[in-house]
Amino acid sequence: MDTNQAVNPRTYALGDLLATAAERALPVIRALPDERLADPTPCADYDVKSLVNHLLHVTVQFQNLAAKKDADFTETPDYIAADPAWRDRFATETSRLAAAWSAPGAEEGTTGVMKMPARTVASLALLDLTVHAWDLARATDQEYRLNDATDPVLDQVAATVGEMAPTARAMGMFATPVVVPDTASPLDRLIAQTGRDPHWNRPAA
């Protein structure tokens, strides 16, 4: 699928897609070795530990946004240092995230200090959960597993990237898109649109 192709953002229920993305991310999180927490990731500003902390913080704060409450992204707590069972915490919080966005009215209206459409906000959470799970898998020599069939999570995330990419690049959140061949998989095309190399390898020591 062309990541620049428009996808109807109301085709899918975001709570369902978040549940699917969480199911895919959880095996990656559970398999993260403690000795690899300082390793670099394809998300250049983060090592493995800081990216897990970031992703946990996203799952917690976006629950508040689903309920039209305030969220605080000014500082990311060290969830890993605070809780030896942080892998289980991730499972719990991502389940709560999916439930929060499945609640009646969660996708309606606006939310957050910028008063963005709630569906857009939920799609940003889906983007983080999908792309950062891929980051962590790639950083620690794991496979990020997808279904073979047409994938609604990738469809929705690709639509979000297509919509938000100009702003994200202007803010330094995305780098310049990486050129991939026409035969690239939908996941590789999506990753490339965020400015990541789909074939990223850990830098040599």
Side-chain angles (χ1 to χ4, degrees):
M1 174 184 167
D2 184 347
T3 53
N4 292 315
Q5 181 180 350
V7 176
N8 184 343
R10 292 195 176 276
T11 301
Y12 311 114
L14 269 301
D16 293 342
L17 298 189
L18 285 163
T20 298
E23 289 174 1
R24 293 170 178 172
L26 186 56
V28 175
I29 297 297
R30 289 203 181 281
L32 291 177
D34 289 338
E35 64 271 17
R36 301 288 294 272
L37 292 178
D39 283 7
T41 75
C43 191
D45 292 337
Y46 296 93
D47 62 14
V48 170
K49 179 181 179 181
S50 60
L51 189 55
V52 171
N53 281 328
H54 168 73
L55 196 50
L56 263 166
H57 198 52
V58 165
T59 64
V60 170
Q61 295 302 315
F62 273 77
Q63 293 170 43
N64 293 335
L65 293 171
K68 309 299 192 290
K69 297 178 181 178
D70 291 337
D72 184 3
F73 294 99
T74 56
E75 185 174 350
T76 300
D78 190 343
Y79 293 94
I80 290 178
D83 186 357
W86 53 268
R87 296 173 181 84
D88 293 333
R89 172 80 183 273
F90 182 85
T92 298
E93 296 297 351
T94 51
S95 178
R96 289 173 176 168
L97 177 69
W101 283 100
S102 298
E107 294 187 15
E108 299 173 4
T110 61
T111 189
V113 295
M114 298 179 66
K115 300 299 181 185
M116 295 175 65
R119 279 191 60 88
T120 299
V121 172
S123 295
L124 292 175
L126 184 67
L127 169 63
D128 264 23
L129 190 55
T130 300
V131 174
H132 288 323
W134 178 90
D135 286 328
L136 291 166
R138 192 76 194 175
T140 54
D141 306 311
Q142 300 185 57
E143 182 180 357
Y144 181 73
R145 297 183 180 276
L146 297 175
N147 299 328
D148 293 333
T150 301
D151 194 298
V153 171
L154 289 191
D155 285 352
Q156 184 67 38
V157 174
T160 302
V161 170
E163 178 184 354
M164 304 298 293
T167 300
R169 291 190 184 105
M171 297 175 64
M173 297 169 63
F174 289 173
T176 302
V178 173
V179 177
V180 294
D182 292 341
T183 55
S185 69
L187 177 60
D188 283 356
R189 292 188 185 192
L190 169 64
I191 294 300
Q193 283 297 309
T194 70
R196 293 162 167 79
D197 180 356
H199 303 292
W200 182 94
N201 288 307
R202 185 164 50 127

